[in-house]
Amino acid sequence: MKKVYLFLFFVLSFLSTKGYAAEYYWVGGAISTNNNTLQKWRLISVSGSIPNVSPSANDNVYFTDGVISTTVSFNKGSIVFNNFTSNAVTKNYFFTLAASDGATKTLTVNGILDLSQNATFISSSSSGNEQKIGTLILNKSPKLAHNIFKLFLKFNKTNEWIKPTTGFESQGMYVDNSVNLDLSNLTIKINQFANTDTESGLVKVSSSNTILNLSNANFEVSKLWIV
């Protein structure tokens, strides 16, 4: 019997160290919008338990209806999640990359970014500079609903075609080396939401082994760099 208890103890200890993918649900709160605050999250559902650690690269994060706060600040310099789902219907969610200036402001979604029309990524700075606003990095085809990204959107290298389900607006767009990006039949607007910084309103395409399909696309852009 002691061996059984000992085995269960080690299993539970292993699970508690987060060596597995977990489902994190944002509940928010009245005081802080910092995503690193553990009390802002629940495991499995919005009524689940408070986690012991913040979500990370293996984890799926969800932003749903029925929560206290729908403003979410990602305060770490470099954040990685697996799937990122914001499917609220009655709540408007606002996400911002709010790390201190000088830090690398990136949010990487290795899995699927799935957004309802009530999800918006807003800027944490009045500057159009990428280092101040931040970059959302996508590794797979996002499920969008004509969303607005007041930051820089980067489509990262992958072994498959990337095709957003709808058009979108963003502060800037980067297409990495060896990316196959299909924007056909979509309306894409690259706007200078902030000031007229050199990077604001820019589309930058790394041409090495990159395929960009713009067939029948309505593509509005201020500046285009092919490097």
Side-chain angles (χ1 to χ4, degrees):
M1 183 62 71
K2 288 184 179 179
K3 290 183 179 180
V4 173
Y5 286 143
L6 186 61
F7 173 76
L8 289 175
F9 171 78
F10 280 116
V11 169
L12 293 174
S13 297
F14 171 77
L15 292 177
S16 67
T17 60
K18 269 279 275 79
Y20 66 102
E23 310 289 312
Y24 280 74
Y25 282 76
W26 175 263
V27 294
I31 300 176
S32 171
T33 61
N34 186 347
N35 84 295
N36 293 320
T37 305
L38 296 179
Q39 288 77 12
K40 306 303 178 186
W41 296 100
R42 296 294 185 272
L43 293 174
I44 302 177
S45 72
V46 293
S47 58
S49 60
I50 297 174
N52 293 324
V53 294
S54 299
S56 57
N58 291 326
D59 301 318
N60 303 319
V61 293
Y62 299 88
F63 304 89
T64 63
D65 290 315
V67 300
I68 300 172
S69 171
T70 56
T71 298
V72 185
S73 298
F74 297 104
N75 292 69
K76 288 178 61 179
S78 180
I79 297 175
V80 183
F81 297 133
N82 185 33
N83 295 323
F84 184 114
T85 302
S86 180
N87 57 6
V89 176
T90 62
K91 297 280 189 177
N92 293 317
Y93 269 90
F94 299 96
F95 303 101
T96 181
L97 305 188
S100 59
D101 287 348
T104 301
K105 294 184 180 183
T106 59
L107 169 59
T108 301
V109 180
N110 286 328
I112 303 297
L113 177 74
D114 188 354
L115 305 179
S116 72
Q117 63 182 358
N118 292 344
T120 301
F121 281 78
I122 61 177
S123 173
S124 61
S125 171
S126 60
S127 167
N129 184 280
E130 178 192 5
Q131 292 182 345
K132 292 183 177 295
I133 292 177
T135 303
L136 174 62
I137 302 173
L138 304 181
N139 290 330
K140 293 185 179 296
S141 298
K143 297 180 180 180
L144 305 180
H146 304 283
N147 303 95
I148 295 176
F149 302 91
K150 293 186 178 181
L151 42 64
F152 289 82
L153 195 59
K154 180 180 180 180
F155 294 98
N156 215 12
K157 181 179 179 180
T158 180
N159 294 323
E160 59 189 56
W161 276 88
I162 294 180
K163 182 173 178 58
T165 52
T166 72
F168 56 86
E169 296 184 48
S170 70
Q171 175 79 14
M173 186 178 81
Y174 295 159
V175 184
D176 201 8
N177 285 320
S178 303
V179 170
N180 297 330
L181 179 60
D182 186 358
L183 300 179
S184 61
N185 302 301
L186 300 179
T187 296
I188 310 297
K189 296 181 180 180
I190 309 301
N191 290 324
Q192 294 180 328
F193 291 110
N195 65 20
T196 55
D197 184 273
T198 302
E199 296 171 329
S200 180
L202 169 70
V203 173
K204 183 178 179 180
V205 180
S206 298
S207 58
S208 177
N209 299 316
T210 297
I211 300 176
L212 187 60
N213 184 0
L214 298 177
S215 177
N216 297 316
N218 182 3
F219 200 65
E220 300 180 15
V221 58
S222 300
K223 290 165 283 189
L224 175 62
W225 289 3
I226 300 178
V227 297

